[in-house]
Amino acid sequence: MQDLPAAGALWFVTGRDGVVAQESVAAWREQHGDADAQWRAIPAPLRAAFASERHLIHLEAEAQEAERARIRRYQRKQRGLPPHESSAMERLGDIVMPTFWIVLALSLVALLGVGLWTVTVWILN
């Protein structure tokens, strides 16, 4: 193939192992750097064909996280904040959102329980 990084992308997607495959994958990773660039270096039809492969799913998750981190850094830069410190609002959001979902789930369970109790009492009387 004479293109070691391109061969590395193919070897990575297919999950092949061996000396040549490892050298090719290493060249591909070196050329494309972060997970987002590696993900974009794999042609879309190839990603779709091997979508259920565990290592490809893992790379996609890493690429999505890298993209989210890049967006957060950009937003922080736009607001004039340092790129590495989280703001008080971000820390508060990390606490409030899980708490919100827990309270919502418990409320739904309580409403379901009250509803079942009410219907049961209504039927038995």
Side-chain angles (χ1 to χ4, degrees), residues 98-111:
T99 305
F100 168 78
W101 290 113
I102 290 170
V103 168
L104 180 66
L106 290 175
S107 298
L108 290 175
V109 168
L111 285 172

Side-chain angles (χ1 to χ4, degrees), residues 81-125:
L81 299 171
H84 59 282
E85 296 176 15
S86 59
S87 68
M89 288 304 291
E90 289 172 338
R91 289 191 302 269
L92 181 63
D94 291 342
I95 295 169
V96 170
M97 285 310 292
T99 305
F100 168 78
W101 290 113
I102 290 170
V103 168
L104 180 66
L106 290 175
S107 298
L108 290 175
V109 168
L111 285 172
L112 181 63
V114 168
L116 286 174
W117 175 260
T118 303
V119 169
T120 304
V121 169
W122 177 68
I123 290 174
L124 293 178
N125 285 330

